[in-house]
Amino acid sequence: MQTRFHGLFLILGLVISQHAGAAEWDSQSSNFQIRTFRGGPNAQQLLEQCERLRLDLQQVWLSEADRRDWSPRCQVIVHATKASYQTAVGGGGAQTSGSSLVQASRGVIVNRRIDLLYDAKKGASALPHELTHIVLADRFEDGHPPRWLDEGIATMADSQEKRTLHHRDCHDALRSGDALRVVQLLRLEQFTSAKQVPAFYGQSLSLVHFLAEQDEPTKLIDFAEAAIERGYDRALRDIYQIEGIEELERRWRKYAWNTGARAPQSLVSFVR
Ligand SMILES: [Zn+2]
């Protein structure tokens, strides 16, 4: 099974061209293989940044037993042009600057890959978000957490500016009545209308904050895993002592109204 996560949208079952040959890496470490371009970011510095970010993300979201070395390593390809980036990630990535791919076979991850579109001013700014998807994949049998959790947690690694916009989207959706019901948010796999997109990202980020404040952040992953095994109502009771999705809806909405449009401090320390 494979799913490709673009910076903004999700495309299921997309087959991509593997145009990065095995011998073409500019820099390699135990967990990453980097390919950049002439005039682009320094491969060795990017490699060190990837290793640091991976460690930081693992420390926040994964328990110690889940912090394993990656085999296969994660391929990181930095593209100089939009044309090259889109050829690699497919048409669904047209509005994005980062994309991640995890493929799993029989419960084992067989491919990890990140494509980044380089920007002279912002650099490879999508890296922390996309790398979060790759880190979280380690805890799930098919490599894919529920979408709201995956995007909510990955969005915590975005810049302050981006997170502020997502929180504003959440607040606007609540005020306009366009907010998704929590039961809908938890099960959303594919968008069916354009206005769901800002509400989904904003609410996912807000819900992740709410749950992460109830207990240790690593419990969020236990919670998602338990929900896959025995449903959300049971998982909410077992992990957070919340009496099912309806009570979660009530408590989260109260939290979100009280939070307002401001962005709470991210739990990921490297975010400024
Ligand atoms: Zn994402």
Side-chain angles (χ1 to χ4, degrees), residues 95-165:
Q95 306 298 320
T96 71
S97 59
S99 181
S100 56
L101 176 75
V102 172
Q103 288 173 293
S105 174
R106 298 177 186 196
V108 177
I109 292 176
V110 295
N111 192 15
R112 296 176 172 90
R113 173 173 166 140
I114 293 174
D115 288 90
L116 298 166
L117 175 58
Y118 189 71
D119 180 289
K121 280 192 196 132
K122 294 181 183 166
S125 60
L127 176 64
H129 179 116
E130 301 306 330
L131 192 51
T132 307
H133 289 312
I134 307 281
V135 166
L136 295 180
D138 280 350
R139 268 297 294 271
F140 295 85
E141 181 121 336
D142 66 354
H144 299 113
R147 310 284 179 241
W148 68 272
L149 180 97
D150 209 9
E151 291 303 340
I153 291 182
T155 303
M156 263 209 204
D158 282 336
S159 65
Q160 169 79 28
E161 188 188 354
K162 267 193 167 182
R163 284 183 299 111
T164 299
L165 291 175

Side-chain angles (χ1 to χ4, degrees), residues 167-194:
H167 277 285
R168 197 174 304 156
D169 284 343
C170 174
H171 191 62
D172 288 350
L174 281 170
R175 287 205 312 183
S176 66
D178 287 335
L180 299 157
R181 301 272 305 161
V182 168
V183 67
Q184 200 183 356
L185 183 77
L186 297 177
R187 294 186 176 134
L188 194 142
E189 294 292 322
Q190 295 241 37
F191 298 115
T192 52
S193 77

